[in-house]
């Protein structure tokens, strides 16, 4: 009995494989099992209505197993992924006998996304199975795309290059936001960040240009900010020196949010001017 690692794989050589020709019959891989014994893992494409699709995926799996020397357990995972997807195609895709990675109709990209959407419902919460099933299928389709003589139609290229749609260890698909939605959210958040940063810079510029309001006047926003930034006057003290609302200058009225009632007057103006967290001056 050979020891683990002494087998290089019981597969045909690259010269004996004919990827350009259509294989027929059962696809089988023989590889080391966890017990150190050679174990066959087989898949029969004729077991599915989408026989052509099953054969295409099985051919990619057999060649990948030969090239990578996959163990029997990993081969069973690939076989399970092919079976699960082909069963989904048989049950949901119109004209499954015409299904092929090389044809635009029926739309296998839609079939893939629908399969991923329902996968979590077929497993217990928190299962990793949906993610690795989808991942194995994507590897096989991606491998076919790498061979230019093996056409892949539709939008499957985008799915292979994009997000899988399932997180490891999660039990539901991650489709709360589209990519365009995420892009807009990032743009808006960045715009808000820039606006806040500009407001902070403007505030410190006013502080630098201000002086003690007891000397420079209580109607200048720069002086009020200077007093607060330098702890020269408290909010209560500042509000006592501000004019009533009817006499409030426009420079101070503009500091209050639009729509607030005039009853805020001095107290509201002083309070809104007081920084909750004073950022360190640059």
């Amino acid at each position: 009995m050979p020891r683990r690692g002494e087998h290089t794989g019981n597969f045909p050589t690259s010269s004996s494989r004919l990827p350009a020709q259509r294989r027929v019959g059962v696809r089988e891989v023989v590889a080391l099992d966890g017990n150190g014994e050679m174990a066959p893992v087989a898949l029969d494409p004729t077991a599915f209505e989408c026989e052509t699709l099953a054969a295409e995926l099985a051919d990619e799996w057999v060649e990948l197993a030969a090239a990578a020397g996959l163990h029997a357990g990993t081969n069973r995972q690939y076989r399970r992924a092919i079976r699960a997807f082909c069963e989904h195609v048989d049950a949901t895709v119109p004209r499954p006998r015409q299904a092929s990675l090389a044809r635009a109709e029926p739309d296998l990209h839609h079939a893939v996304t629908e399969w991923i959407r329902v996968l979590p419902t077929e497993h217990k919460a928190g299962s990793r199975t949906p993610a690795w099933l989808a991942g194995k299928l994507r590897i096989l389709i991606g491998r076919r795309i790498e061979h230019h003589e093996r056409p892949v139609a539709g939008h499957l290229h985008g799915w292979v290059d994009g997000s899988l749609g399932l997180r490891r260890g999660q039990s539901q698909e991650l489709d709360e936001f589209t990519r365009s939605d995420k892009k807009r959210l990032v743009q808006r958040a960045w715009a808000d960040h820039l606006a806040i940063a500009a407001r902070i810079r403007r505030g410190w510029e006013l502080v630098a240009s201000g002086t003690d309001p007891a000397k420079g006047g209580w109607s200048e926003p720069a002086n009020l900010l200077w007093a607060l930034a330098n702890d020269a006057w408290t909010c209560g003290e500042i509000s006592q020196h501000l004019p009533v609302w009817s006499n409030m200058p426009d420079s101070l009225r503009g500091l209050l949010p639009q729509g607030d009632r005039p009853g805020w007057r001095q107290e509201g103006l002083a309070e809104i001017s007081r920084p909750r967290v004073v950022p360190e001056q640059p």
Side-chain angles (χ1 to χ4, degrees), residues 93-130:
V93 173
R95 307 180 305 280
R97 291 188 179 278
Q98 299 179 22
S100 168
L101 294 172
R103 299 180 187 140
E105 294 293 337
D107 185 1
L108 290 182
H109 178 261
H110 180 265
V112 163
T113 55
E114 278 298 296
W115 179 59
I116 290 175
R117 186 182 67 83
V118 300
L119 262 179
T121 66
E122 300 172 356
H123 301 83
K124 65 180 181 179
S127 173
R128 296 184 177 183
T129 302

Side-chain angles (χ1 to χ4, degrees), residues 1-275:
M1 176 68 66
R3 290 175 295 178
R4 184 185 297 273
E6 292 182 345
H7 276 293
T8 58
N10 186 18
F11 304 108
T13 63
S14 57
S15 61
S16 66
R17 286 189 255 115
L18 300 174
Q21 298 180 1
R22 181 179 179 183
R23 298 184 178 92
V24 294
V26 176
R27 275 53 167 190
E28 182 177 277
V29 172
V30 180
L32 278 173
D33 204 342
N35 297 324
E37 300 178 355
M38 302 301 291
V41 183
L43 185 141
D44 185 1
T46 63
F48 308 95
E49 286 192 62
C50 58
E51 177 183 348
T52 300
L53 172 63
E56 291 169 344
L57 293 171
D59 288 344
E60 296 298 334
W61 159 52
V62 170
E63 291 188 9
L64 174 62
L70 302 180
H71 280 210
T74 304
N75 284 313
R76 293 188 186 100
Q77 293 177 358
Y78 276 100
R79 181 182 63 180
R80 181 177 177 184
I82 296 172
R83 283 177 173 173
F85 180 60
C86 289
E87 288 171 357
H88 172 80
V89 171
D90 283 352
T92 63
V93 173
R95 307 180 305 280
R97 291 188 179 278
Q98 299 179 22
S100 168
L101 294 172
R103 299 180 187 140
E105 294 293 337
D107 185 1
L108 290 182
H109 178 261
H110 180 265
V112 163
T113 55
E114 278 298 296
W115 179 59
I116 290 175
R117 186 182 67 83
V118 300
L119 262 179
T121 66
E122 300 172 356
H123 301 83
K124 65 180 181 179
S127 173
R128 296 184 177 183
T129 302
W132 64 249
L133 282 176
K136 294 294 186 292
L137 181 69
R138 184 160 71 167
I139 289 173
L140 295 178
I141 297 176
R143 190 179 189 280
R144 182 180 174 92
I145 290 174
E146 292 175 356
H147 295 81
H148 300 297
E149 73 278 9
R150 306 173 189 177
V152 175
H155 302 289
L156 288 170
H157 295 75
W159 176 66
V160 168
D161 294 335
S163 172
L164 181 61
L166 290 167
R167 190 186 300 276
R168 291 178 180 269
Q170 295 295 321
S171 58
Q172 59 184 4
E173 66 279 8
L174 306 176
D175 60 354
E176 183 178 359
F177 297 104
T178 65
R179 289 190 177 184
S180 58
D181 290 336
K182 293 176 182 177
K183 184 177 180 179
R184 286 193 293 269
L185 287 171
V186 171
Q187 290 174 338
R188 292 175 183 175
W190 186 247
D192 288 342
H193 167 76
L194 294 177
I196 293 172
R199 183 177 178 182
I200 292 174
R201 287 195 302 269
R202 176 56 180 161
W204 282 114
E205 289 172 359
L206 288 174
V207 170
S209 65
T211 187
D212 190 334
K215 299 177 180 179
W218 297 93
S219 61
E220 292 297 328
N223 295 342
L224 302 186
L225 289 174
W226 182 94
L228 293 172
N230 290 278
D231 292 327
W233 298 84
T234 66
C235 290
E237 292 170 337
I238 291 175
S239 64
Q240 294 175 6
H241 289 86
L242 295 178
V244 296
W245 180 256
S246 59
N247 296 329
M248 192 79 69
D250 291 339
S251 59
L252 296 182
R253 285 176 181 251
L255 296 178
L256 289 172
Q258 294 183 358
D260 282 324
R261 61 185 185 277
W264 252 34
R265 294 202 303 274
Q266 299 96 325
E267 294 83 358
L269 181 61
E271 186 65 21
I272 200 171
S273 299
R274 180 172 64 88

